[in-house]
Structure formats: structure tokens, C-alpha cells
């Protein structure tokens, strides 16, 4: 996280589901300002798509404000690590047995 005068620049990594043979991640850059959130990524990301879909469908009360949208996006990004962590845990258990 880099704090600039009018915005935060955040760099994080999301699970890359396009390759199933190895664990990969894709960089996700966020520019978070008072009135905006801009994301930059070179590959489609589930977390970004999910936030967009939820916002467009409007079926539930979504996050309001760019800071809350960023929080929701980062929360989904972390949730997408769960299957990978469980797979690694199973592989480690198999090695230990």
C-alpha cells in the first residue's frame, strides 16, 4: 500500500484459476480515492467479476462508497484462496503420512 496525496495505491495478488496444473497468482492493482475505485489486472479475476455482477444485478444492498467496494473486493479475493489452501493442506498431510 502506498499513500499518495489524494489516493491509495494497493497491489495485491489473486488466485489465477486459468491454470490448474500449478498454483499461480495474478496481480491486482487498486487506485482508491475519495470518490472512485479503479482496478487494473491483465487477466479476468473472479473477485472483480463477482463484485461487478452483484452491483449490476442489484439484488442485495451492495457496498456503498469506493472504500467499501474495495473492502468487498479484497474480502472475495481472500475467500478465493480457500480452495488452494485446502489442496495444499491435503498434499502436506499426504507427505507427512
Amino acid at each position: 500500500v502506498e499513500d499518495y496525496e489524494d489516493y491509495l495505491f494497493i497491489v495485491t495478488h489473486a488466485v489465477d484459476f486459468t491454470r490448474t496444473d500449478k498454483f499461480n497468482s495474478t496481480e491486482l492493482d487498486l487506485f482508491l480515492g475519495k470518490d472512485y475505485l479503479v482496478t487494473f489486472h491483465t487477466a479476468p479475476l473472479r473477485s472483480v467479476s463477482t463484485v461487478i455482477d452483484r452491483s449490476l444485478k442489484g439484488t442485495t444492498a451492495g457496498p456503498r462508497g469506493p472504500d467499501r467496494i474495495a473492502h468487498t473486493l479484497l474480502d472475495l479475493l481472500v475467500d478465493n484462496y480457500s480452495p488452494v489452501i485446502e489442496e495444499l493442506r491435503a498434499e502436506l498431510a499426504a507427505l507427512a503420512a
Side-chain angles (χ1 to χ4, degrees):
V1 176
E2 293 185 34
D3 187 5
Y4 291 94
E5 190 172 317
D6 295 336
Y7 67 94
L8 292 177
F9 176 60
I10 304 166
V11 178
T12 188
H13 287 82
V15 175
D16 183 354
F17 289 99
T18 59
R19 294 183 56 193
T20 57
D21 58 334
K22 291 184 179 179
F23 172 76
N24 283 322
S25 64
T26 299
E27 185 173 306
L28 171 63
D29 301 331
L30 299 115
F31 298 87
L32 177 59
K34 180 181 176 190
D35 299 321
Y36 63 89
L37 173 67
V38 176
T39 63
F40 177 78
H41 41 95
T42 58
L45 298 175
R46 283 186 186 179
S47 51
V48 174
S49 298
T50 300
V51 170
I52 290 171
D53 289 344
R54 287 181 185 174
S55 297
L56 292 176
K57 288 179 183 174
T59 54
T60 60
R64 297 180 189 192
D67 55 339
R68 301 228 179 170
I69 295 170
H71 179 270
T72 301
L73 179 59
L74 293 170
D75 186 50
L76 288 169
L77 187 140
V78 170
D79 289 347
N80 285 331
Y81 272 94
S82 293
V84 175
I85 292 170
E86 290 304 317
E87 183 179 329
L88 290 173
R89 182 176 287 136
E91 288 180 21
L92 288 172
L95 288 173

